[in-house]
Amino acid sequence: MENYLNLLNPPQQEAVLQKEGPMMIIAGAGSGKTRVLTYKIAYLIQQGVDPFQILSLTFTNKAAREMKNRIAGVVGESEAKNIWMGTFHAVFAKILRFEADKLGFPSNFTIYDTDDSVKLITSIIKELQLDKEIYKPKQVFGRISKYKNNLITVKAYYNSPELIEADNAAMRPKMGEVYQQYVDRCFKAGAMDFDDLLLRTNELLARFPEVLAKYQNRFRYILVDEYQDTNHSQYLIVRALADRFQNICVVGDDSQSIYAFRGANIQNILNFQKDYADIKIFKLEQNYRSTKNIVSAANSVIENNKTKLDKTIWTGNDEGEKIKIIQTHSEAEEGNFVASSIFENQMQHQLQNTDFAVLYRTNAQSRAIEEALRKKNIKYRIYGGVSFYLRKEVKDILAYLRLIINHNDEEAFKRIINYPARGIGQTTIDRLIVKANELNVSLFYIAENIEKIDVGINSGTRQKLSDFAMLIKSLKIFSQTDDAFEVANQVVNKTFLINELKKEDAFESTGRIENVEELLNGIRFFIIEQQDLADGDTSLTNFLQNVALATDFDKEDPEAKNTVSLMTVHMAKGLEFKVVYIVGLEENLFPSAMSINTRSEIEEERRLFYVALTRAEIKVYVTYSLYRSRWGQFNDTEPSRFIEEIDDKYTEFIGKQKNNNNSSRTSSFLKPDIFETKNPVIQPKISINIPKNLKKVSEIKPKTQGEIANIQMGSFVIHETFGKGEVLSLDGTGPNRKAEIKFENAGIKKLLLQFAKLQLI
């Protein structure tokens, strides 16, 4: 214990050593809150608290894993495994698995992701014959999500004249009916969406006092990370669970509350001390991340907010460089500046791509940045793009697995009933839906009893439906004795999915087949990981729950080892980089035009800018353009008010002076002064070699078995894209034969030899 306590500063030590009672740790940006939370849990265990009685709630699986690993380093892995630690949704899903029957759900209920929910709502809107241009599925889902996070059930909705009035004004008078149908259909399908994991937990604790008492007694010490990001539903659950022993510790920073659009309620942290009379407050005010100039600049901005907790963030780090403010004429010029500056910083300071981040308010802003980076041959990665588990072929297999576990899963059934193609058309599916709604049963029930139920289809189609139901039922039996990997493997083999994928274009099929292979690899890794856990569960149900609760940052991209990070400021929260570029600092963009109507909205936008500034360790560049294109037309812009709010002592304007009122606008787009440096960096010329024998996609044919057999371990080959390489290993047989090849410039790649563009040297 002595060792890790010596690593803490006095305020951090005080927070760690406070064992009993309610407490709030106000943790400024870069103040070491994760370390404090981790050591606090370790200290509780060393003081004799049973790990099984500790509940630690986080907002990402990554944070939970990181904390558990750190705790294991202090108290040992076996003790660390016994802590109930995870995201709100993961922990509450676990509780609901145990208690689902009380709410009328099966213990293996499906967790719908946003895509599933939107598809279901789309179906409901179609069945109710509503105008999808008015009842836009994503907007409807967003509204239902907001209802649930504020504990507004269908009954509460109908008892609220204000909500009904608002929907009538929005030309959506049937909103209540859509909500009712959505809830009923989820229940019938044995499914919960993400918001249900909170809503149903609240319902469970409110309706069943014995269940509440059970978990109050189990969780005698509760710790909540990022408390400023909790919504009303999360707040009520945490308060209910902590009510008996009141050993609750919340950690957060009101200045980083930026998720109101997701339902986060800043009042939860601002009013926490009103909920507990004998609360103790600890302030972590020393920033270990950023230079003095960055910390002071961020402080001068956030000082303009009226709604905030009292604290003074400071740092013992070097003074550092001033915040660079750069004016450009257009977003293209803005992108060129960012790319040139990154290149220049790399050359002068020996920095890696991973040391840089470009932050923007909206995803649409990435285009110009991407183009400029590509021209400079600077590798980048966009965070928040399509993740692995959202790729079509992956979701298709997951839908099979979901239906195997839960036959009532309507969205999974509709996704795969005719994939791979079985000759079951949309007309047949529509008839199944009508009959299922009429009988109030699942689509799968209709399929497995199709010989007894008349839905107006021919005998051939009935047989196909019956065969599909038999396939799923046989896989269900298999899943009861075998682990998730074996079941998934059976799905791939019995559905002949690989054969279906091979029918596609050669390039497409190779990538999709590799994704299927990677999914199986992932399931195998999941099983190995579970086998190492004290309470490991290798079942298909547990795997699907882990997938449903995963986030983009929880999955590592093997291609993103050394890349510049591009992301929205919202995505950047919790991250840090040596050099940060905050682009598009213009009125109606940052702050957003949608968030300047009330003081609370502006203050949240200001907190967002504060978060952006405090991601940086040594340098910050802030850019704005005089013109920005919309719908192909250039429009005048105005510099963001947030630039004006940074104290002059901490800024340096490059090329133009502050308060120039845009007087430098001209009709032609001249290069800003930043590019007219005294010692310009000479950019290297980039040459691209286009192979003379490059073929069109349509011309590429699978290799013959003879050609494949000629490629052996140790062979040297040429690939049209990857260049020269050496074959390291081979596996598989016939058309499934693969080679692991180490290319001189592209690194190690695994290729399906049947389609790989390889020539033996």
Side-chain angles (χ1 to χ4, degrees):
M1 183 181 77
E2 203 63 41
N3 288 339
Y4 69 80
L5 285 180
N6 289 338
L7 299 173
L8 304 174
N9 65 31
Q12 290 174 332
Q13 278 192 23
E14 288 174 27
V16 167
L17 296 173
Q18 178 65 37
K19 181 184 175 187
E20 306 289 335
M23 66 193 81
M24 176 166 65
I25 302 173
I26 303 170
S31 63
K33 73 174 177 63
T34 303
R35 172 181 287 187
V36 170
L37 205 50
T38 300
Y39 290 164
K40 185 165 188 62
I41 294 170
Y43 177 72
L44 287 173
I45 294 172
Q46 289 189 333
Q47 292 299 299
V49 175
D50 188 337
F52 283 103
Q53 295 183 327
I54 297 173
L55 170 63
S56 178
L57 296 168
T58 65
F59 272 84
T60 66
N61 292 317
K62 183 179 179 183
R65 282 199 301 269
E66 184 182 325
M67 285 174 59
K68 193 168 270 193
N69 288 338
R70 287 197 199 180
I71 292 166
V74 179
V75 300
E77 200 165 322
S78 60
E79 291 282 49
K81 285 177 180 176
N82 297 329
I83 303 165
W84 276 61
M85 178 180 287
T87 64
F88 283 87
H89 292 90
V91 169
F92 299 157
K94 189 175 180 180
I95 291 174
L96 287 168
R97 294 277 180 213
F98 291 131
E99 315 292 344
D101 62 307
K102 295 179 177 62
L103 299 173
F105 281 85
S107 61
N108 59 356
F109 61 83
T110 297
I111 300 175
Y112 277 179
D113 63 16
T114 301
D115 190 39
D116 297 319
S117 296
V118 170
K119 282 187 176 178
L120 176 53
I121 287 170
T122 302
S123 298
I124 292 167
I125 289 167
K126 182 180 178 182
E127 291 160 26
L128 293 175
Q129 298 182 331
L130 301 174
D131 187 342
K132 65 180 181 182
E133 292 304 312
I134 296 174
Y135 291 85
K136 293 182 177 178
K138 286 187 178 178
Q139 289 183 6
V140 171
F141 172 67
R143 194 148 178 81
I144 290 173
S145 175
K146 191 169 284 189
Y147 294 155
K148 289 184 176 183
N149 283 321
N150 286 286
L151 304 185
I152 299 168
T153 60
V154 174
K155 183 178 179 181
Y157 173 85
Y158 279 119
N159 287 331
S160 171
E162 294 84 1
L163 291 175
I164 295 171
E165 175 87 27
D167 283 324
N168 285 337
M171 307 294 289
R172 290 194 291 251
K174 297 282 189 181
M175 187 68 203
E177 192 173 343
V178 175
Y179 188 14
Q180 179 74 68
Q181 286 263 3
Y182 175 69
V183 171
D184 291 346
R185 294 276 279 275
C186 284
F187 185 76
K188 187 176 82 174
M192 295 189 198
D193 62 23
F194 263 42
D195 301 312
D196 283 326
L197 297 178
L198 303 180
L199 181 68
R200 296 294 185 178
T201 302
N202 264 302
E203 180 187 352
L204 182 72
L205 301 180
R207 284 179 52 198
F208 301 94
E210 71 281 7
V211 174
L212 174 59
K214 170 184 172 182
Y215 288 102
Q216 282 179 337
N217 195 51
R218 171 170 288 176
F219 304 134
R220 300 193 178 205
Y221 292 85
I222 299 175
L223 302 97
V224 186
D225 192 14
E226 304 284 12
Y227 190 66
Q228 77 280 351
D229 293 335
T230 54
N231 61 32
H232 183 59
S233 188
Q234 290 163 329
Y235 162 78
L236 290 176
I237 295 170
V238 169
R239 186 164 181 192
L241 291 174
D243 195 47
R244 183 173 180 187
F245 293 98
Q246 299 207 351
N247 293 322
I248 178 168
C249 171
V250 302
V251 184
D253 180 8
D254 58 299
S255 295
Q256 297 186 67
S257 178
I258 59 173
Y259 295 120
F261 69 95
R262 289 186 192 164
N265 186 355
I266 192 173
Q267 296 303 320
N268 291 348
I269 193 167
L270 294 177
N271 295 331
F272 185 75
Q273 50 198 313
K274 295 180 182 177
D275 291 338
Y276 302 93
D278 55 346
I279 186 173
K280 288 186 170 57
I281 298 176
F282 303 92
K283 296 180 182 180
L284 308 184
E285 298 174 302
Q286 183 176 358
N287 179 302
Y288 289 93
R289 175 188 302 152
S290 309
T291 64
K292 282 187 172 71
N293 261 308
I294 293 172
V295 170
S296 299
N299 285 344
S300 68
V301 171
I302 206 65
E303 192 59 36
N304 289 277
N305 273 10
K306 296 191 183 301
T307 307
K308 60 182 183 296
L309 295 170
D310 181 39
K311 61 182 177 298
T312 304
I313 306 302
W314 62 279
T315 184
N317 293 341
D318 294 340
E319 200 73 29
E321 296 183 22
K322 292 185 176 183
I323 309 295
K324 305 289 195 301
I325 313 288
I326 296 93
Q327 171 193 289
T328 63
H329 282 80
S330 68
E331 63 260 47
E333 201 168 77
E334 182 177 60
N336 288 336
F337 164 73
V338 170
S340 296
S341 176
I342 289 173
F343 183 84
E344 203 170 309
N345 273 301
Q346 286 178 330
M347 295 300 102
Q348 292 179 359
H349 305 291
Q350 291 74 54
L351 297 175
Q352 300 294 311
N353 285 336
T354 48
D355 294 324
F356 298 89
V358 184
L359 309 182
Y360 34 75
R361 182 65 181 82
T362 66
N363 278 306
Q365 291 170 255
S366 74
R367 180 193 59 81
I369 307 295
E370 288 184 74
E371 288 182 6
L373 291 173
R374 281 198 296 267
K375 287 174 186 174
K376 287 281 187 292
N377 204 28
I378 297 172
K379 291 185 178 180
Y380 64 87
R381 178 188 177 191
I382 294 182
Y383 284 82
V386 177
S387 67
F388 178 79
Y389 287 100
L390 293 179
R391 294 171 190 172
K392 181 188 179 302
E393 57 279 4
V394 175
K395 289 211 76 171
D396 289 336
I397 296 173
L398 292 178
Y400 270 101
L401 300 180
R402 282 167 40 182
L403 194 62
I404 290 165
I405 290 300
N406 177 7
H407 291 348
N408 295 332
D409 190 331
E410 182 175 327
E411 292 309 305
F413 181 98
K414 288 189 292 189
R415 185 179 185 98
I416 60 172
I417 183 60
N418 198 40
Y419 187 80
R422 298 184 175 86
I424 300 172
Q426 190 57 47
T427 301
T428 298
I429 296 170
D430 289 342
R431 288 177 179 174
L432 294 179
I433 291 171
V434 169
K435 183 57 72 172
N437 290 340
E438 181 185 316
L439 300 178
N440 195 31
V441 295
S442 70
L443 292 171
F444 188 86
Y445 180 87
I446 300 290
E448 69 177 333
N449 293 284
I450 196 66
E451 296 300 331
K452 306 174 192 173
I453 300 172
D454 183 17
V455 294
I457 56 176
N458 61 44
S459 58
T461 305
R462 284 202 303 272
Q463 185 60 50
K464 291 167 186 172
L465 285 167
S466 182
D467 290 346
F468 174 77
M470 186 60 68
L471 169 66
I472 298 300
K473 287 197 286 187
S474 67
L475 289 168
K476 172 82 170 182
I477 294 169
F478 187 79
S479 74
Q480 290 166 356
T481 55
D482 286 78
D483 62 35
F485 174 82
E486 296 299 340
V487 180
N489 211 21
Q490 285 288 312
V491 167
V492 172
N493 291 330
K494 288 184 177 293
T495 60
F496 303 102
L497 196 91
I498 300 299
N499 290 342
E500 183 76 7
L501 292 173
K502 284 180 180 177
K503 294 176 186 176
E504 301 176 7
D505 169 84
F507 288 127
E508 281 291 316
S509 68
T510 301
R512 292 186 184 280
I513 291 167
E514 286 173 352
N515 286 338
V516 172
E517 181 188 20
E518 190 56 36
L519 174 62
L520 293 175
N521 290 343
I523 299 174
R524 174 68 83 189
F525 179 77
F526 165 81
I527 288 169
I528 293 170
E529 189 179 58
Q530 288 295 308
Q531 287 170 342
D532 289 338
L533 298 175
D535 59 344
D537 178 2
T538 62
S539 71
L540 188 54
T541 297
N542 194 32
F543 169 73
L544 290 173
Q545 177 172 310
N546 273 265
V547 169
L549 296 170
T551 62
D552 284 348
F553 275 101
D554 294 325
K555 307 175 191 70
E556 293 297 330
D557 183 349
E559 300 300 318
K561 295 298 182 188
N562 185 25
T563 55
V564 173
S565 298
L566 274 61
M567 66 187 83
T568 64
V569 184
H570 283 103
M571 288 290 294
K573 188 167 174 293
L575 305 177
E576 57 185 47
F577 305 89
K578 284 188 170 63
V579 183
V580 169
Y581 297 82
I582 312 170
V583 299
L585 257 291
E586 297 140 30
E587 285 294 301
N588 298 322
L589 183 54
F590 198 175
S592 166
M594 299 171 65
S595 303
I596 56 175
N597 300 312
T598 65
R599 178 177 294 280
S600 63
E601 288 175 344
I602 280 292
E603 293 202 347
E604 172 136 340
E605 289 289 300
R606 188 175 287 114
R607 291 194 295 270
L608 193 59
F609 184 51
Y610 174 86
V611 166
L613 287 170
T614 55
R615 296 313 90 202
E617 295 175 20
I618 58 175
K619 282 188 182 183
V620 176
Y621 295 85
V622 175
T623 68
Y624 68 94
S625 294
L626 295 176
Y627 305 91
R628 195 164 293 272
S629 58
R630 294 193 65 198
W631 304 106
Q633 299 294 317
F634 280 102
N635 293 272
D636 288 2
T637 66
E638 181 185 344
S640 170
R641 69 191 73 187
F642 300 148
I643 293 177
E644 183 69 26
E645 289 174 359
I646 306 174
D647 194 306
D648 289 349
K649 290 183 291 190
Y650 312 118
T651 61
E652 177 186 352
F653 277 70
I654 307 295
K656 303 296 176 187
Q657 295 302 309
K658 202 170 185 178
N659 297 324
N660 65 0
N661 295 320
N662 298 338
S663 59
S664 64
R665 295 181 191 276
T666 60
S667 57
S668 62
F669 283 46
L670 302 174
K671 293 178 87 175
D673 298 350
I674 179 64
F675 296 111
E676 298 167 14
T677 54
K678 293 179 181 177
N679 299 301
V681 176
I682 298 173
Q683 306 291 356
K685 291 184 178 179
I686 300 169
S687 60
I688 301 173
N689 295 318
I690 301 175
K692 293 179 181 178
N693 62 345
L694 188 65
K695 298 177 181 177
K696 294 179 182 177
V697 172
S698 58
E699 295 174 357
I700 295 174
K701 300 283 192 292
K703 283 184 166 50
T704 64
Q705 293 305 308
E707 286 178 289
I708 294 174
N710 289 335
I711 297 175
Q712 303 294 330
M713 198 164 70
S715 296
F716 286 92
V717 294
I718 289 282
H719 187 278
E720 288 181 357
T721 302
F722 303 132
K724 183 180 177 183
E726 181 182 4
V727 178
L728 300 180
S729 64
L730 294 158
D731 64 58
T733 57
N736 294 321
R737 201 169 185 220
K738 296 171 191 161
E740 190 173 64
I741 303 170
K742 183 177 182 181
F743 293 99
E744 289 179 354
N745 298 319
I748 296 175
K749 304 280 182 186
K750 183 174 274 191
L751 304 179
L752 192 64
L753 288 180
Q754 187 181 19
F755 295 113
K757 301 174 292 180
L758 295 174
Q759 290 183 3
L760 279 165
I761 300 175

